Amino acid sequence: MASFKNLEIAPTVANHPRISIKTSLLGLRTKIYYNPTQTEVDCIRNYYTMSSGCAIQQFLLKFQHDPLCAENAKLPIELDDNGCFCLEACSSRDGQFIAIQLFRYNQLAYNSVCEIKIFEGKEAILLKKALAC
């Protein structure tokens, strides 16, 4: 699991009105909660191969216009520690909230492919299931 403080999407997620953040006394541990369900939010950062990253990118574009496409989606997800695509996500454990952004390695850095997308409710559940995050 990735550290929330190290994610590129952290500032946007932290400013979301339905998210609360609690830090420990010494600030060593940060917990993020989705307020409507009081569920803890997990943070991930996964790296993917070129073919998997392109498939995820196409899926996210399609998902924005038709969230129901995730019900039958079979993405060829192949993790690669040195992959050229990086997916950052903050997802509540009950699946009711997900914030996601895809990055691609270009010119010695990971640059965003799309803006951060935040989904709640049924859309979040469908997306979390399709991406297995």
Side-chain angles (χ1 to χ4, degrees):
M1 208 177 315
S3 171
F4 179 72
K5 296 175 187 177
N6 295 333
L7 294 178
E8 294 285 327
I9 65 174
T12 304
V13 173
N15 289 327
H16 193 275
R18 294 189 185 100
I19 294 292
S20 62
I21 299 174
K22 297 178 183 172
T23 56
S24 65
L25 180 62
L26 299 174
L28 298 175
R29 183 170 170 120
T30 302
K31 288 189 176 187
I32 304 101
Y33 294 94
Y34 179 56
N35 294 333
T37 59
Q38 287 301 310
T39 307
E40 193 168 349
V41 174
D42 294 323
C43 302
I44 64 161
R45 179 187 284 153
N46 287 334
Y47 297 91
Y48 300 95
T49 62
M50 176 66 89
S51 60
S52 294
C54 290
I56 292 170
Q57 182 179 6
Q58 293 302 315
F59 169 74
L60 290 175
L61 289 171
K62 188 175 179 183
F63 183 81
Q64 284 182 282
H65 302 292
D66 180 23
L68 295 178
C69 74
E71 291 178 343
N72 300 324
K74 301 255 191 256
L75 295 173
I77 296 179
E78 191 175 336
L79 294 172
D80 182 3
D81 289 339
N82 296 317
C84 58
F85 278 90
C86 174
L87 181 73
E88 289 187 353
C90 292
S91 172
S92 65
R93 291 185 179 168
D94 65 356
Q96 294 291 318
F97 172 86
I98 190 167
I100 194 165
Q101 189 170 22
L102 186 65
F103 299 89
R104 183 175 181 177
Y105 191 78
N106 187 14
Q107 298 181 357
L108 303 176
Y110 281 96
N111 300 305
S112 63
V113 173
C114 60
E115 294 181 13
I116 186 170
K117 307 293 182 200
I118 298 175
F119 299 98
E120 297 180 57
K122 185 176 181 181
E123 290 177 343
I125 293 169
L126 290 171
L127 184 59
K128 183 175 180 173
K129 183 179 176 186
L131 294 175
C133 57

